[in-house]
Amino acid sequence: MNQLALGEAAPPCAPLTAQDYKSNYKPIWCPGCGDYTVLSSITKALAALQLRPEKVAVVSGIGCSSRIPAYTACYGFHGVHGRSLAAATGLKVARPDLTVLVASGDGDGYSIGGNHFLHACRRNVDLTYIVMDNHVYGMTKGQPSPTTEPDWDSKLAPGGTGLRSFHPLVIALASGANFVARAFSGDPNGTADILARAIRHPGFSFVEILSPCVTFRPEQRGWKERVHGAPVEATDDPARAARRIMTDDGFNLGVLYAGDRPAFPGPARAASASIADIEAEFAP
C-alpha cells in the first residue's frame, strides 16, 4: 500500500455512483416486475446523498420485495415475515450513526406486519420504510393482499373478497409518520428523488411505491397511464394532508406530508453491559 508523505494531501475520493451500492447478485424477479426499478431508485438515492455503503443498513422481511438487501452492497438483514420494522427499530436505536432503510411489500408490511407498521409510525424512530405495493401476494402465487381491490376476481378468490382495501397512507399519517409519500416504479428518477428526501427527513419516513406485479396482475401495466404528479406541494398540516390523501385517486405521486415532529432520540442511558459481557454470561 502506498503511504502518503508527511504533509502530503490525500487524493480526493471519486464520487460514489449507483453501481457502487449494488451487490454481485443478479436479481431474480419475474420479467417486467416493478421491483427492478425500485432497486435502481434506491441505489440512485444513496448515490445522490453520497452515503458510504458501510454506513447504510437495509432490512427486510419476507416476499419478493424483501430480496432487496441481498442486491445491495450495504449491510443487510433478511428477517422473518412482517417483522422487519421491529428489527430495524432495534438496529437504529442501537446504532444511530447508521442510515437504516426497510424494504417490504403490501402483504409483508400491511398484513403480517400491520401492527409493527402502526407502532413504528407512532414511535417516529429515524427510519425510511419503503413498501412496494402491487396489491397481491406475488411470491405465493397471487392471493389477495390487504390493498387488493374488493372486486378483484381471481382463481384463489372468485368474485373478489368483498373486503374494503387497506389505506396505508392514511394509516401512516394517523399513526404519526413524519413523512408520507407515494412513488411509481415506472418513474425511477422521480422515485429516487422522493427516496432521497425521505432519507434526509428526520423521523419515520414512509414511501409507498406502486410496483406492478405483471405476472399475477397483468392489468397493472396500465398504471403508467394512470399515475400523475400530486397537484399541490407537500404540507406540514396533518389535517390538510389527510383531506388530500382521502380524496385522491390512489395514483397521486409525490411527497404528501412532511412533518416536523422530533425523531425518537433513543435510550437516554448507555447500555449496562457490552456484547462481550453478554457472550461471557452464556459461555459454557
Side-chain angles (χ1 to χ4, degrees):
M1 179 182 292
N2 294 327
Q3 299 291 324
L4 294 175
L6 185 63
E8 184 180 357
C13 296
L16 293 164
T17 68
Q19 190 62 37
D20 292 318
Y21 298 91
K22 294 182 179 178
S23 74
N24 294 325
Y25 291 102
K26 183 179 179 181
I28 57 170
W29 291 304
C30 300
C33 176
D35 292 358
Y36 285 101
T37 46
V38 174
L39 174 62
S40 296
S41 298
I42 291 172
T43 57
K44 286 180 179 179
L46 294 174
L49 298 173
Q50 288 294 289
L51 296 170
R52 303 295 307 177
E54 67 270 20
K55 300 297 289 184
V56 178
V58 186
V59 180
S60 70
I62 298 295
C64 301
S65 59
S66 295
R67 299 179 184 276
I68 290 282
Y71 301 147
T72 74
C74 308
Y75 283 112
F77 183 83
H78 192 173
V80 294
H81 216 341
R83 306 296 183 258
S84 57
L85 283 172
T89 297
L91 174 61
K92 182 63 182 181
V93 171
R95 288 288 307 274
D97 57 307
L98 295 178
T99 295
V100 180
L101 311 182
V102 189
S104 186
D106 41 304
D108 179 64
Y110 303 149
S111 182
I112 299 94
N115 189 46
H116 292 291
F117 179 43
L118 300 180
H119 293 287
C121 295
R122 180 175 67 86
R123 294 188 183 104
N124 200 32
V125 174
D126 192 15
L127 304 171
T128 299
Y129 189 37
I130 303 164
V131 178
M132 287 156 261
D133 193 349
N134 53 23
H135 301 183
V136 72
Y137 281 92
M139 178 172 277
T140 50
K141 308 302 182 185
Q143 299 95 332
S145 82
T147 52
T148 299
E149 303 83 345
D151 58 349
W152 181 63
D153 184 59
S154 68
K155 291 181 180 178
L156 296 174
T161 64
L163 299 174
R164 181 173 179 170
S165 303
F166 187 76
H167 200 320
L169 278 72
V170 170
I171 297 297
L173 183 67
S175 301
N178 213 32
F179 182 98
V180 178
R182 184 188 288 124
F184 175 52
S185 64
D187 175 22
N189 290 332
T191 299
D193 178 65
I194 288 175
L195 290 175
R197 294 171 66 181
I199 294 169
R200 281 198 304 262
H201 198 82
F204 187 83
S205 296
F206 169 58
V207 181
E208 179 190 62
I209 303 180
L210 301 175
S211 182
C213 173
V214 298
T215 298
F216 293 104
R217 303 289 309 262
E219 72 277 13
Q220 291 178 350
R221 296 181 190 277
W223 278 2
K224 63 183 178 183
E225 310 296 336
R226 300 187 62 182
V227 296
H228 51 86
V232 291
E233 293 296 319
T235 177
D236 60 0
D237 180 352
R240 189 177 177 195
R243 287 194 296 272
R244 179 179 297 169
I245 294 170
M246 286 295 290
T247 56
D248 81 5
D249 60 358
F251 291 94
N252 266 323
L253 307 181
V255 179
L256 302 169
Y257 174 72
D260 56 4
R261 194 159 68 97
F264 178 73
R269 295 183 301 172
S272 58
S274 68
I275 294 296
D277 295 334
I278 296 171
E279 289 177 342
E281 184 177 347
F282 287 94

